Amino acid sequence: AFKEKMKEFMANFDKNADGRIEMSELAQILPTEENFLLCFREFVGSSAEFMAAWRRYDTDRSGYIESNELEGFLSDLLKKANRNYDAKKLNDYTQTILRMFDLNGDGKLGLSEMARLLPIEENFLLKFQGIRLTVKEFDSLFTLYDKDGNGYIDEQELEALLKDLCDKNKMDVDSTGLVDYKKSIMALSDGGKLYRTELEIVLCRDSTL
């Protein structure tokens, strides 16, 4: 009976008959929220594009944008991805995101949550789940590498910071992996400057952001 159900399922949703269910095929049967995330992951090209759009709205680097700015943020992302959309679809996307991410109704949307829109391989938050610092640990670490106290670190300082973190956490990361980690985090930077609040989102387990 199970095999028959599987055959029926594949016949209904494996439209190109390659024996696999593609993301676009799977999106047809998922609930609206999951469907939306899958579709949006096809639109968003990279974490760098995501952060470039985010930074236009989070001008005070608080780690949040206001819900009334969300439509503009999503519109910017879709334009970067060269996706066609009409006003109704953009409104649908906006309302879905609000339902998913503004759970307490405070009108704010956090970067750490909104980053779920990113494709898995581009998601800088997922890459660092193994390294989660307390706010106190993070502050000490950031101060150590922000030697001039200007509130940000550059790419070279980040590489040293990550190497120390991986060594301390006994993470077996080769030079290629370290470069990938660095590239992933530097997508958060603004002109090569990685600010405290942006790095805290990635590395801090009890961040207030």
Side-chain angles (χ1 to χ4, degrees):
F2 178 74
K3 285 181 180 179
E4 288 302 317
K5 285 290 183 187
M6 282 299 296
K7 281 182 183 177
E8 184 182 336
F9 181 86
M10 294 299 286
N12 286 334
F13 297 107
D14 182 19
K15 300 300 182 186
N16 58 4
D18 66 350
R20 296 183 299 182
I21 302 294
E22 306 293 334
M23 182 179 286
S24 57
E25 295 166 341
L26 185 62
Q28 298 173 45
I29 58 172
L30 288 170
T32 302
E33 286 81 2
E34 286 83 353
N35 186 325
F36 173 80
L37 277 183
L38 285 175
C39 290
F40 215 93
R41 281 177 178 169
E42 293 182 337
F43 303 158
V44 181
S46 69
S47 54
E49 288 179 354
F50 179 90
M51 286 306 302
W54 180 270
R55 201 170 281 112
R56 284 189 58 187
Y57 297 90
D58 182 20
T59 52
D60 61 354
R61 300 187 182 283
S62 66
Y64 290 97
I65 61 171
E66 302 299 320
S67 59
N68 61 4
E69 297 172 325
L70 177 62
E71 188 166 305
F73 170 69
L74 295 179
S75 176
D76 280 359
L77 278 182
L78 291 168
K79 284 174 185 172
K80 283 179 179 294
N82 295 316
R83 299 295 301 196
N84 294 321
Y85 61 93
D86 55 27
K88 182 183 182 305
K89 185 163 281 191
L90 182 59
N91 182 63
D92 288 345
Y93 286 165
T94 303
Q95 294 308 311
T96 301
I97 286 286
L98 282 172
R99 284 198 304 271
M100 291 177 69
F101 297 122
D102 186 20
L103 298 179
N104 61 0
D106 67 353
K108 290 183 178 180
L109 298 157
L111 172 59
S112 56
E113 292 182 317
M114 291 289 288
R116 286 173 54 199
L117 293 174
L118 287 167
I120 296 298
E121 63 273 12
E122 281 284 345
N123 197 318
F124 46 80
L125 294 173
L126 292 179
K127 287 176 186 284
F128 299 94
Q129 282 182 335
I131 301 176
R132 305 306 279 173
L133 307 173
T134 65
V135 171
K136 188 175 180 180
E137 288 170 337
F138 173 80
D139 283 343
S140 298
L141 190 68
F142 193 91
T143 301
L144 178 65
Y145 288 93
D146 179 22
K147 298 186 188 306
D148 52 8
N150 55 13
Y152 63 83
I153 59 177
D154 60 25
E155 191 168 349
Q156 284 70 39
E157 291 167 333
L158 175 63
E159 185 169 349
L161 184 154
L162 287 178
K163 190 173 186 311
D164 278 1
L165 266 182
C166 290
D167 288 346
K168 285 177 183 175
N169 286 271
K170 296 182 172 57
M171 292 179 67
D172 186 18
V173 180
D174 59 19
S175 58
T176 304
L178 200 61
V179 168
D180 288 344
Y181 275 13
K182 185 175 66 172
K183 181 181 175 184
S184 181
I185 294 187
M186 285 308 292
L188 290 163
S189 73
D190 184 4
K193 298 175 181 178
L194 190 63
Y195 287 85
R196 178 185 291 264
T197 52
E198 293 164 338
L199 189 57
E200 182 180 341
I201 289 166
V202 178
L203 295 177
C204 212
R205 67 167 174 262
D206 51 359
S207 169
T208 55
L209 301 182

